Amino acid sequence: MELRTLRRHLPKSFCGAVPLQSGMELILVFTVINKMSGLFGLLSLFTDHPITFLQWVYYFTNALFVILAIFCYRSLRQLAAEAVRNSPLNTDENLARVKIIAIFVALYIVDFFIGHAFMVYLAKVWLSEEYGSGDNTSSVESTSASAPASAPASAASVAQKATNKLVKRVSETLSLQSASEGYEVFVCVVSILITDVFRVYFMAVALSYYLRLRKHITRPATGLGSKFVDLLDKFN
């Protein structure tokens, strides 16, 4: 499917009832709230809580995304005010605002694929840790079963029975509180798919808003951010 053909399938309104501008504003607000974890994560640098290099990069990029979303929201509101006053939109000042919006839309699409891969990775790590604990239980049982030869037989027997009883009670409690492995995998997959559906629709709304805005501001982009504009203009 060609890029220009894909444009025909983009939404013309948000949820079929709300203008694209309102939908874009909602996406920006949602992005700021979602990426605020980056700002809170960077606070770990001022505490004794250690973070890995990958976590640091993740928090830092989220913090930058918050700043970009705020600038994009400001540009969007300024363009809306210009439209309300019936001022000419095809100006150099508005072109700079279009660049900011283009940068956000392009990086928002890229962030979808990066976030999706990171989500799948976290789900895999969680499942491996959740169901890899059975080896620890068996190792505890085997360790408790082998008492030192020098210890009295009665003390070793009492300790072994107490340990086995405790392990059995913990295993029974965990089995009652947790769902089956297949059910938890199903919940993870469904959650990821539902999130992907919303993100894909949000990307379509953001791209559709930019393309419609670009029809009113047709000046060629140069300088910083022009690459993002040229990339998205291929959909027109």
Side-chain angles (χ1 to χ4, degrees):
M1 181 182 294
E2 297 181 357
L3 297 181
R4 294 185 178 180
T5 306
L6 179 63
R7 181 183 178 277
R8 302 175 184 176
H9 302 280
L10 294 177
K12 297 178 176 59
S13 61
F14 185 75
C15 295
V18 182
L20 286 175
Q21 178 181 334
S22 300
M24 186 65 179
E25 293 177 2
L26 180 62
I27 292 172
L28 289 169
V29 172
F30 178 79
T31 301
V32 170
I33 296 175
N34 187 35
K35 298 297 184 179
M36 282 298 291
S37 60
L39 296 178
F40 292 110
L42 290 178
L43 294 178
S44 301
L45 299 175
F46 304 99
T47 63
D48 295 332
H49 182 71
I51 59 175
T52 63
F53 176 76
L54 182 61
Q55 289 175 323
W56 187 89
V57 172
Y58 179 75
Y59 293 146
F60 183 73
T61 53
N62 281 356
L64 291 180
F65 223 97
V66 170
I67 298 174
L68 176 61
I70 293 175
F71 275 98
C72 184
Y73 184 86
R74 181 171 176 269
S75 299
L76 189 147
R77 295 300 302 172
Q78 289 173 341
L79 287 171
E82 293 284 339
V84 170
R85 293 195 297 265
N86 291 326
S87 301
L89 296 179
N90 197 17
T91 62
D92 291 335
E93 185 178 3
N94 288 335
L95 179 61
R97 295 163 182 165
V98 169
K99 290 181 183 180
I100 296 176
I101 297 175
I103 294 174
F104 172 82
V105 173
L107 294 183
Y108 187 76
I109 296 175
V110 174
D111 180 72
F112 165 75
F113 296 100
I114 297 178
H116 181 270
F118 192 74
M119 184 186 303
V120 173
Y121 170 75
L122 289 180
K124 182 179 179 181
V125 171
W126 176 76
L127 289 174
S128 63
E129 292 179 353
E130 182 73 13
Y131 300 106
S133 59
D135 298 336
N136 297 334
T137 303
S138 60
S139 63
V140 171
E141 292 178 349
S142 61
T143 303
S144 62
S146 58
S150 59
S154 59
S157 178
V158 172
Q160 179 179 352
K161 291 180 179 180
T163 303
N164 291 339
K165 184 177 181 180
L166 178 61
V167 171
K168 183 178 180 181
R169 291 182 60 185
V170 171
S171 300
E172 291 176 352
T173 303
L174 291 177
S175 62
L176 291 175
Q177 290 181 351
S178 61
S180 63
E181 179 178 356
Y183 176 76
E184 293 188 355
V185 172
F186 174 77
V187 172
C188 289
V189 173
V190 171
S191 300
I192 292 175
L193 291 178
I194 293 176
T195 304
D196 286 348
V197 170
F198 280 101
R199 286 295 303 271
V200 169
Y201 183 73
F202 286 171
M203 286 190 302
V205 171
L207 181 59
S208 179
Y209 171 80
Y210 168 81
L211 295 178
R212 291 175 180 274
L213 179 65
R214 188 65 173 137
K215 285 186 175 182
H216 299 282
I217 305 175
T218 58
R219 290 173 177 263
T222 57
L224 182 63
S226 59
K227 296 296 183 181
F228 296 95
V229 174
D230 295 338
L231 178 63
L232 296 181
D233 282 351
K234 294 180 180 180
F235 290 90
N236 264 326

